[in-house]
Amino acid sequence: MSRDNALRELGDLLGILPVFWDMSGQERVTTPETYAALAGAMGYDTHDAALPDIIADLHQTFADQRFPLETVVEAGTSLRLEFGAGHDWSLRRAEDGTPIIAGEGEVALPPLAPDVYVLSMIDGDYAQDVTILAAPRRLPQVIETTGKDKIWGMSTALYGFVSERNGGLGDYDDLARATEGVARHGAAFLGINPVHAMGHADTGAFSPYSPSHRGFLNTAHIALDQVSDAPTEASADLRAAPIVPYAAHKRAHQAALETAWQAFRTHSNAGFEAFCHAGGAELNRFAAFEALTELHEPDWRLWPAGVTVDQAPPERVRFHKWLQWIADGQLSQVQRGASAAGMALGLYLDLAVGSRRDGAEAWCEADVVAQGVSLGAPPDHLSPGGQAWSLAAFNPHALRAAHYGPLRRILAQNMRYAGVIRIDHVLGLNRSYWVPDDGSAGAYVRQPFEALIALIKIEAARHGTLVIGEDLGLVPDGFRDTMRGHGFYGYSVLQYEKDESGFRAPGTPSPQVLSCFGTHDTPTLQGYAQGRDIDWWQQLGWIDGDAASHERAQRSRDVANLQGDAPGIQCAVHGCLAASPAEMVCVQLDDVLGKVEAQNLPGTVDEHQNWQRRYAVSVAALETHPELTMIGTCMARHDRRTSKVTEGAEA
């Protein structure tokens, strides 16, 4: 067998897709170099001499398996499995090993709570573990969770909040105040950018979509005036900065927390000790990573060989656990306050698609992280070479072998604070695009789709959390219908919902979506109307003058189409969203305040002030902002709790 054929066979065994079609419809065939790089990322030696034995071993392993590696069952329903007759077996919880039931002969399972289990099968001298994922039939839905068949909320950038008390970066107390203010206008949720841990060391990274670890919290958002013994005299210059002063804020904020820790560490605290105990080995490993970055480089890939958890100074490990305890308490209080203020769902959190390759998650979960590759996106009209995001990819085979524990912990951490979460790039549950470090082309790797869906349903059921799957762009035929069947809410962005005849009402054909005008990656409402995104494309050389003129002419027609007879585009768009059949509607604070520049311009790093712009209106003034009042009234007019338009309300 030739090397190329051997690599293709190995790729097929490992789930590397042989071909895909990009956004322009061009066929992209996986090259032998890419097969070798991606197989190597999963831990396989692809040298010529090793290939035949590896392929033979994999075929033999599959042939020797007498039972499936995993199976998804419906929670709460007793069942008899089709395999296992005549064998001894036992069932235990995957998370902590708690035994559930044992037997021999036919595998008859009692109704199982939503959870992940391990079924140990014994056939003479042969033993095999089967992962059992007991999941509800569907994810939680708006009507059953809120008692309404349509709700609305607002999304915002936490980092951009301005107040008289924060230190130049929006914090968790600002979030609490904003949540209460928006709740008084009838909002069911308030959405924010990811608040994953960014790393205590100074790496210069501040994009919330490039976190250090998605299973822990960003301690930069800790409200200092809510921490005992923390100095709170923030510099007026930091508060007045036109953009978020990340570096200066980090220095001042961390110094204040160090002072507070020195006072705290001399006393015992049962709540803190309970938090450390509950966090277990995962919290200890994360805190050790943070402590080790103080001894070595922020990038663990540059550390000396053989660095281990045990080498982290114990007192600094406790400090980083304490930071997580403080952040956990403050964010939990935000969600409790939202509920007390009448919000049906409270926080709407964002789960980033991955973590930085130099960060804590890639180090803590090294056993299940693919090495030598980055998550990314295939070529498109703006990025003909594709994109590498410098984000770590989970190796699906290693993740399965770990009974999905690392991913489950990340899901649980985010859902415990939120009434609804958005999973960025949900197509990644089906296949993910890996870009090799060696310069070879990227390709898609198949993921254990049914198991990952089940895992999300398990955690959503445990936490009562609605789930939105960001499904924009090109997805396989039938993908959205499959996701709706599992109870995921889709993502309907009005500025993209158009065809030759004009704009479609958000929520058509399926109302099972969250509808909005734009996202953090698209132009704001005013930016769209003014063609600011087109200005940027031309300025950056992505399109020439003729193309820009064509785009601006089309944009003028689109804006006129959107506005119709309404007195302004904001009134028209928010009225359209309110009247749409979509079950969830989201309004951006950027649009409420009339901001022109977008939070992020995809494809740029330093050219555009991504993730740095602050709001011109303070958190305290949001509640009485006239545009927010108008939107609340408009949404109330179309409140469908009684399935009809409320009589007498004015838009």
Side-chain angles (χ1 to χ4, degrees), residues 30 32 52 60 82 204 219 263 314 317 339 351 372 390 429 436 440 466 478-479 495 509 524 590 595 601 612 616 623:
T30 302
Q60 190 61 53
E82 297 178 356
T219 57
V317 172
S339 179
L351 177 65
S390 296
L429 301 176
S440 53
L466 278 66
F479 178 77
Q495 58 188 278
T524 64
D590 301 67
K595 289 177 69 71
L601 181 60
Q612 298 175 68
E623 182 182 346

Side-chain angles (χ1 to χ4, degrees), residues 106-464:
E106 185 179 40
V107 181
L109 301 180
L112 297 174
D115 211 334
V116 181
Y117 303 87
V118 179
L119 178 67
S120 294
M121 302 295 302
I122 301 175
D123 182 7
D125 294 333
Y126 178 83
Q128 182 188 326
D129 284 345
V130 181
T131 302
I132 304 290
L133 297 105
R137 185 172 299 176
R138 296 190 85 213
L139 289 161
Q141 298 294 288
V142 165
I143 184 66
E144 65 195 40
T145 304
T146 69
K148 296 184 176 184
D149 56 10
K150 183 182 181 74
I151 58 173
W152 78 278
M154 191 170 77
S155 64
T156 184
L158 174 57
Y159 58 82
F161 278 155
V162 172
S163 68
E164 295 181 354
R165 37 156 303 284
N166 74 33
L169 180 79
D171 62 31
Y172 294 127
D173 193 64
D174 291 330
L175 180 59
R177 304 287 79 77
T179 301
E180 293 166 6
V182 175
R184 294 189 179 100
H185 291 278
F189 59 84
L190 180 66
I192 55 174
N193 51 271
V195 287
H196 309 316
M198 294 300 296
H200 192 72
D202 187 7
T203 64
F206 53 77
S207 166
Y209 290 91
S210 296
S212 175
H213 201 308
R214 295 172 295 167
F216 295 94
L217 293 173
N218 188 346
T219 57
H221 294 302
I222 288 175
L224 292 179
D225 55 358
Q226 305 299 310
V227 181
S228 298
D229 299 305
T232 58
E233 297 83 7
S235 165
D237 291 341
L238 296 185
R239 274 200 283 263
I243 61 173
V244 177
Y246 282 105
H249 172 272
K250 191 180 190 81
R251 290 191 296 271
H253 191 260
Q254 289 185 351
L257 289 170
E258 290 280 1
T259 298
W261 165 247
Q262 293 306 319
F264 177 89
R265 62 190 289 268
T266 61
H267 306 287
S268 62
N269 186 291
F272 174 53
E273 298 305 331
F275 177 82
C276 293
H277 178 76
E282 288 74 33
L283 174 61
N284 190 68
R285 188 165 180 79
F286 169 79
F289 174 88
E290 294 286 67
L292 288 167
T293 63
E294 298 173 351
L295 298 178
H296 306 293
E297 299 282 344
D299 184 343
W300 63 269
R301 296 170 297 181
L302 303 177
W303 293 355
V307 173
T308 66
V309 170
D310 295 336
Q311 295 173 13
E315 191 62 21
R316 297 306 292 171
V317 172
R318 281 181 62 80
F319 168 67
H320 289 290
K321 290 181 180 181
W322 176 78
L323 290 179
Q324 287 298 312
W325 177 58
I326 296 295
D328 171 84
Q330 291 193 0
L331 191 57
S332 297
Q333 181 56 44
V334 174
Q335 181 67 343
R336 289 192 295 270
S339 179
M343 273 194 168
L345 297 177
L347 287 178
Y348 160 18
L349 297 184
D350 225 353
L351 177 65
V353 70
S355 63
R356 294 197 316 273
R357 295 172 64 191
D358 64 355
E361 187 178 324
W363 185 80
C364 293
E365 308 296 353
D367 290 344
V368 298
V369 169
Q371 303 300 321
V373 295
S374 167
L375 287 173
D380 59 26
H381 67 291
L382 291 181
S383 300
Q387 298 178 49
W389 299 331
S390 296
L391 300 178
F394 280 149
N395 176 349
H397 309 290
L399 192 61
R400 176 185 282 124
H403 309 299
Y404 302 101
L407 179 58
R408 184 182 185 186
R409 290 190 290 271
I410 288 169
L411 290 168
Q413 168 72 2
N414 286 272
M415 289 184 182
R416 65 190 296 256
Y417 306 106
V420 55
I421 70 164
R422 170 189 174 273
I423 297 179
D424 196 20
H425 192 59
V426 76
L427 178 60
L429 301 176
N430 186 313
R431 62 185 191 185
S432 58
Y433 192 78
W434 291 10
V435 182
D437 291 346
D438 66 4
S440 53
Y444 278 105
V445 175
R446 187 176 296 110
Q447 301 296 311
F449 183 56
E450 293 298 330
L452 298 182
I453 292 292
L455 195 69
I456 292 168
K457 290 197 283 190
I458 288 167
E459 288 306 316
R462 293 177 72 183
H463 295 91

